[in-house]
């Protein structure tokens, strides 16, 4: 069976013109009327020889830094802009949601825009009418349906546009980061709808900086870097490669903070089967008289709390005693009690019920990958004690 999308050697270039206009006096400006300004031209490669195929029913994520070419690729696939070179073969009807209000007319009502946008997507009036009630119900715009679209908020326009694109059953659904405009509840509903679209055998291309959503929704992911495909494979390894290249490695060394007498200097994490070892290096600049409480917090990629562990905050008999110099703490975390995905690790060092010595917010981004991917929307399993916390403390001067 032939791929539903075939992209072969696609490139997109833009000509950038830079005009040099330094600060000048009135006389120099007047004289400039009779002379040509200095301009330089530059060719910018937004996409550089991109090739890949997508099979029917696949969900493909597209990730990369800003300026990597993600939105340009989607605009070319949606036929909004043509490629500079290369060929694209599409075997199916495409519905795309790239910008709020794309394909809508501000002077028409919400009802009229549903039919207009559906027609642009190649739907007949009968097909649109059959799905109309579902579109309106999902978008939550029933009260304003006969109001001109220009009076809709950007969020209302987005909900209506997504509902039209998703419910009119295109063979290929293309979604850009535009979902970030919506609130958390709407984003969750959209992800759930895209998941059901994918399971129904239709194809989804999803660009997002929400890596947790990409991993939960997409079987494979394209990693774009400077207009080229750096990797195209299963989502987990590709996302981890992207994260490693952004953060450098699975170990983060924080800058020395001379204003704090006790602070987290280095954080690392290594996972093995059902558990992982979180290792901290705590620097103590001067002799400390009191004991220290240590709190570890895990949050998923959407910054929702996932797990919490403490030494000393709730059990004063188990506070830590640090010596001057470097204190290495190794802590075992039972990762099999966490859903598969990406997590931020945050660390607090504090004098119980008093001041914080240090707060290392989002000190490290880790991936838990020891069980099948948990479908998006299911409650994450919480282990508020981080499993059994086995401590090994080494002290070096």
């Amino acid at each position: 069976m032939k791929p539903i999308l075939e992209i072969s050697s696609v490139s997109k270039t833009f000509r950038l013109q830079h005009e040099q206009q330094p600060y000048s006096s009135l006389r120099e400006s007047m004289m400039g009327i009779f002379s040509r300004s200095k301009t330089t031209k530059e060719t910018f490669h937004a996409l550089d020889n991109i090739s890949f195929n997508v099979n029917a029913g696949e969900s493909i994520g597209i990730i990369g830094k800003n300026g990597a070419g993600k939105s340009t690729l989607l605009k070319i696939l949606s036929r909004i802009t043509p490629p500079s070179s290369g060929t694209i073969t599409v075997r199916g009807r495409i519905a795309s949601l790239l910008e709020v209000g794309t394909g809508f007319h501000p002077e028409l009502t919400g009802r009229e825009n549903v039919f207009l946008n559906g027609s642009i997507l190649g739907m007949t009036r009968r097909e649109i009418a059959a799905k109309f009630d579902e579109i309106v119900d999902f978008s939550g715009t029933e009260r304003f349906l006969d109001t001109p679209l220009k009076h809709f908020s950007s969020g209302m326009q987005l909900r209506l546009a997504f509902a039209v694109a998703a419910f009119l059953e295109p063979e290929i659904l293309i979604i850009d980061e535009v979902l970030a405009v919506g609130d958390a509840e709407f984003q969750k509903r959209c992800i759930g709808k895209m998941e059901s679209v994918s399971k129904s055998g239709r194809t989804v291309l999803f660009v997002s900086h929400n890596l947790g959503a990409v991993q939960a929704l997409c079987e494979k992911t394209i990693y774009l870097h400077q207009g080229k495909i750096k990797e195209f494979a299963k989502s987990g390894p590709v996302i981890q490669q992207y994260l490693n290249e952004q953060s450098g490695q699975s170990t983060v060394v924080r800058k020395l903070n001379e204003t704090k007498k006790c602070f987290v200097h280095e954080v690392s994490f290594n996972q093995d089967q059902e558990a992982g070892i979180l290792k901290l290096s705590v620097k103590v600049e001067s002799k400390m008289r009191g004991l220290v409480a240590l709190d570890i917090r895990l949050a998923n990629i959407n910054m929702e709390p996932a797990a919490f562990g403490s030494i000393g905050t709730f059990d004063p008999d188990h506070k830590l005693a640090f010596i001057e110099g470097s204190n290495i703490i190794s802590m075992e975390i039972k990762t099999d009690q966490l859903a598969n995905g990406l997590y931020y690790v945050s660390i607090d060092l504090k004098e119980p019920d008093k001041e914080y010595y240090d707060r290392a917010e989002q000190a490290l981004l880790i991936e838990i990958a020891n069980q099948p991917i948990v479908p998006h929307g299911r409650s994450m399993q919480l282990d508020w004690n981080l499993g059994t916390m086995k401590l090994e403390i080494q002290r070096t001067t």
Side-chain angles (χ1 to χ4, degrees), residues 28-74:
E28 289 170 332
S29 297
M30 294 297 293
M31 291 299 293
I33 297 174
F34 305 100
S35 63
R36 294 181 179 178
S37 61
K38 295 180 181 180
T39 59
T40 58
K41 293 183 179 180
E42 174 191 356
T43 300
F44 172 68
H45 296 274
L47 293 175
D48 189 1
N49 199 30
I50 296 288
S51 295
F52 65 94
N53 293 336
V54 179
N55 295 318
E58 285 188 320
S59 295
I60 306 297
I62 303 175
I63 63 175
K65 296 173 66 175
N66 290 334
K70 305 184 298 296
S71 295
T72 300
L73 175 59
L74 295 195

Side-chain angles (χ1 to χ4, degrees), residues 133-149:
D133 290 342
E134 290 180 90
I135 292 171
V136 174
D137 182 61
F138 185 90
S139 66
T141 58
E142 184 175 4
R143 283 185 60 194
F144 310 94
L145 204 57
D146 294 307
T147 302
L149 195 78

Side-chain angles (χ1 to χ4, degrees), residues 163-181:
V164 171
F167 279 89
L168 292 185
E169 299 186 352
E171 284 79 14
I172 305 167
L173 179 61
I174 296 177
I175 305 291
D176 202 350
E177 189 62 72
V178 67
L179 292 186
V181 177

